[in-house]
Amino acid sequence: MSEREVRLWPEFVKALKQEVVPALGCTEPISLALASALATRHLGKTPERIDAQVSANLMKNGMGVTVPGTGTVGLPIAAAVGALGGDPDAKLEVLKSLTVQQVAEGKRMLADGRVKLGVAAVPNILYAEACVRSGDDYVRVAIADAHTNVVLIERNGETLLKRDAADAKPVETYELGDATARDVYDFAMRAPLEMIAFIHDAAVLNSALADEGMSGKYGLHIGATLQRQIEAGLLSEGLLSRILTRTTAASDARMGGATLPAMSNSGSGNQGIAATMPVVVVAEHAKADREALTRALALSHLIAVYIHTRLPKLSALCAVTTASMGAAAGMAQLLNGGYPAVSMAISSMIGDLAGMICDGASNSCAMKVSTSAGSGYKAVLMALDGTRVTGNEGIVANDVDVSIANLGQLATQGMAQTDTQILQIMMHKQKP
C-alpha cells in the first residue's frame, strides 16, 4: 500500500460506517422523534403535552412525509409517538417498537391540541428540539447538525448536558481531506473484502423495502404503477425498467410509512436507496457474484458520501441526485466500464440533474428517485459508448472532481435563496 492509501483507506471505512446506517422512516421527522423519546426518558413519566421547534430546513423536509407505523403525515405525530413509544437507544430506528395503542394515544394528543410545533430561530440547518411536559415538570432536548447529535438536555431548568454541536459529533469522525474520486474507486476495487463486507447489508435492507413497495400500498405507488404499465404493454420490459421499478418501489415504501428500515446514506433513507437499488438490479442482470456486488456498493455509497461532503447537510439541492451519481459509478463498474466510465458518468449526471430542487420529504420524492436512477443509467450507457457532457458545457469541468466541487458551490452558495423561497411557498400554500 502507498502512503496515501495507508492514510485514506481507514478514513473511507469510517465514512462508510458512520454515513451508511439503518434508519426507520424519513430521517428529519425521526430526528424530532428521537429528541422526544430522549426527553421522555429523562422526564420519567408519560408527557401530557409537547412543545417542539425545528429549523426551517427540517420543517421543509418533515411537513409532507408519512411517519412509519402511524399512517399520518408530518412532524407533530413524530414528536408525539417518539415521546410515547420511542426507544432513544435505537437512534434512527427510534420508532421500531411502536404499538398500535401508542400510535392511537399520539393521535389523540394531536387531536386535543397538546402538540405544538414552530420554526426555531437558530443558525443550524438541521435542528430539532422537543420539550415534553407533565404538570410542572418538563425536559427539553435539542439535536443539531446531525440527526442523532444531542447538544442539550435540560430538566426543570437544570442543565444535564450542554455542548457545542461540533463537540457532540461521533468520536469515530472521518476526514476525507484531499481524497479524489479516483481514490474512492481504487479503495472500493482493491481494499480487502473483509474491510468492506458490511456494506452488503444495504442490498438486503433496501431490497426488502423494494419488495414491500411493489405491493402498491404505499405513497404514490410509482414502482407498482410502472410494473402494471409493463404488463399492459405501455412500457418495455428491460434493464432500465427494472432499475426504475425496483428503486422507485423502495422509495414508495420508505416515504409511505412502511415499518421496514432503509439503509441510509448521509442521513437520508432515499439517498441510501438511490445509491443501492440500481446497483443491485444491474448486479442481478450481470450475474455478478457477492464480491463484485459488495465492491460496487462500496463504490456507490462512498462516492455518494464523497460528493455529499461538498454539500450542506440540508439544502435546496435534491441530494438523491448526488446519491444516484454513486449508483452510476457502481453500475458502470459492474458493466466493466472501469474508472473512465465512472468519471464520465458522474460528469454527465452533473450536467443533467444539477438544480433539481428539494421541496421537502414527501411521497413525490419517489419520482425524483426514479428520475435520478434513470439519469444514472443513461449516463452509464453514454460512458460505455465513450460519450459524456464535456468541460465546455455549463458547470461541468473536464475533471470530475472539479465538476463535483462546482456542484457543491452551486448548492452551498447559489441556492440559498432558492431554499428560503421553497419554504415560503410550502408554508403558505392553501390546504385542500
Side-chain angles (χ1 to χ4, degrees), residues 48-247:
E48 297 169 352
R49 58 197 187 279
I50 303 170
D51 296 315
Q53 295 188 80
V54 298
S55 59
N57 281 84
L58 199 142
M59 178 71 81
K60 180 186 77 173
N61 271 22
M63 290 172 62
V65 65
T66 303
V67 176
T70 70
T72 303
V73 169
L75 291 159
I77 189 65
V81 296
L84 296 173
D87 175 8
D89 295 329
K91 302 294 185 183
L92 292 179
E93 294 183 274
V94 59
L95 300 182
K96 67 180 181 180
S97 300
L98 278 185
T99 67
V100 173
Q101 181 179 353
Q102 288 163 346
V103 171
E105 290 171 355
K107 291 180 179 180
R108 274 195 295 274
M109 287 190 77
L110 267 61
D112 294 343
R114 292 185 286 127
V115 180
K116 304 295 184 184
L117 176 70
V119 177
V122 294
N124 312 80
I125 291 174
L126 194 162
Y127 182 85
E129 177 186 306
C131 183
V132 300
R133 301 177 182 274
S134 179
D136 294 331
D137 294 324
Y138 76 89
V139 174
R140 187 162 66 103
V141 170
I143 289 173
D145 292 353
H147 294 88
T148 60
N149 202 29
V150 179
V151 296
L152 175 71
I153 303 174
E154 177 185 295
R155 187 180 193 279
N156 294 338
E158 178 187 359
T159 300
L160 305 181
L161 178 146
K162 186 174 183 179
R163 50 189 174 178
D164 291 335
D167 295 335
K169 288 181 180 177
V171 175
E172 269 287 286
T173 190
Y174 59 90
E175 177 55 61
L176 299 189
D178 61 345
T180 65
R182 182 66 200 231
D183 291 325
V184 171
Y185 178 84
D186 289 342
F187 166 76
M189 294 304 103
R190 294 177 41 227
L193 186 60
E194 59 270 19
M195 187 180 285
I196 56 173
F198 63 91
I199 204 70
H200 189 270
D201 290 347
V204 176
L205 289 188
N206 292 340
S207 292
L209 263 178
D211 291 342
E212 184 71 7
M214 289 302 292
S215 69
K217 297 186 297 185
Y218 300 96
L220 299 179
H221 42 79
I222 303 167
T225 297
L226 294 178
Q227 184 59 43
R228 283 195 296 272
Q229 304 308 344
I230 291 171
E231 293 165 1
L234 297 179
L235 184 66
S236 297
E237 169 64 42
L239 183 53
L240 174 58
S241 60
R242 290 196 295 276
I243 290 170
L244 297 181
T245 54
R246 295 276 292 159
T247 307

Side-chain angles (χ1 to χ4, degrees), residues 9 61 151 298 320 363 385 392 417 422:
W9 284 16
N61 271 22
V151 296
V320 161
N363 290 328
D385 199 45
N392 298 321
Q417 179 58 37
I422 290 168

